[in-house]
Amino acid sequence: MRINPDICNNGLLRKATRRVTQFYDVRIASSGLKSTQLVILMHIDFLGEPTPKTLAARMSMDLSALGHSLKLLERDGLIEMLADLEDGRARRVRLAGKGMERFAQAMALWHSAQIDLEKAAGKQNIDQLHALLGVLVSDDFERALREIETDAAAPR
């Protein structure tokens, strides 16, 4: 039985993500950052000095995968890992001086890319995309998927 892969929700999302990621990577390349790195820096900047656990949860990432990315950003001098002043066992992440400079440069390029992507896709389509993606990353959607997985695993 042959099935057209273009009906697969996961496949289409991955294909769209690759295309958009490539677009942003090209547009912000002169900053020396990849779009995946910029998104991490955006979250760090937005959250202040988050713990890696908080950052991973906010980004819907596995903590160990995020940890690998953070080590590379730290190695490149873009972020700093600090002891948490309230909990000595915890660590916090913040943009380093070099990271703030690169972040500012990349954000100017990102802003231009945002505008151009909206022009290419159309504002109404981007608004609809944001609404749908908001559903897909919501806690309610995650709970609904877990309920379906639990029901599917139950003996019949």
Side-chain angles (χ1 to χ4, degrees):
M1 172 171 74
R2 289 189 176 151
I3 296 175
N4 181 347
D6 288 340
I7 68 165
C8 175
N9 299 322
N10 183 53
L12 280 173
L13 278 169
R14 293 180 61 81
K15 189 175 181 180
T17 299
R18 281 190 297 274
R19 179 164 290 165
V20 171
T21 297
Q22 290 166 358
F23 171 78
Y24 278 93
D25 279 344
V26 167
R27 296 298 296 270
I28 68 167
S30 65
S31 73
L33 294 174
K34 294 205 169 282
S35 59
T36 51
Q37 294 171 312
L38 178 58
V39 169
I40 293 171
L41 298 180
M42 287 171 80
H43 278 85
I44 294 169
D45 181 65
F46 181 78
L47 295 170
E49 293 182 359
T51 64
K53 184 177 179 179
T54 299
L55 185 58
R58 176 69 187 228
M59 296 182 68
S60 298
M61 282 185 77
D62 177 75
L63 185 57
S64 63
L66 176 64
H68 175 73
S69 295
L70 292 177
K71 283 180 185 171
L72 296 175
L73 292 169
E74 184 178 28
R75 178 201 69 194
D76 294 342
L78 302 176
I79 64 164
E80 298 172 324
M81 300 297 291
L82 311 163
D84 186 318
L85 298 177
E86 295 176 15
D87 180 355
R89 297 168 296 162
R91 300 185 68 183
R92 295 205 166 261
V93 185
R94 79 171 172 203
L95 297 180
K98 182 179 176 181
M100 286 187 266
E101 290 173 17
R102 285 255 188 100
F103 178 67
Q105 181 184 8
M107 286 304 294
L109 299 166
W110 170 88
H111 183 71
S112 175
Q114 284 280 104
I115 291 168
D116 290 345
L117 187 72
E118 186 175 292
K119 284 179 190 172
K123 179 162 178 27
Q124 184 177 3
N125 287 330
I126 293 294
D127 290 345
Q128 290 173 346
L129 175 66
H130 283 205
L132 177 57
L133 293 175
V135 169
L136 297 180
V137 300
S138 72
D139 292 341
D140 289 341
F141 183 72
E142 185 178 13
R143 276 191 291 280
L145 287 177
R146 284 189 184 145
E147 287 175 18
I148 290 168
E149 288 170 355
T150 301
D151 291 346
R156 297 187 189 244

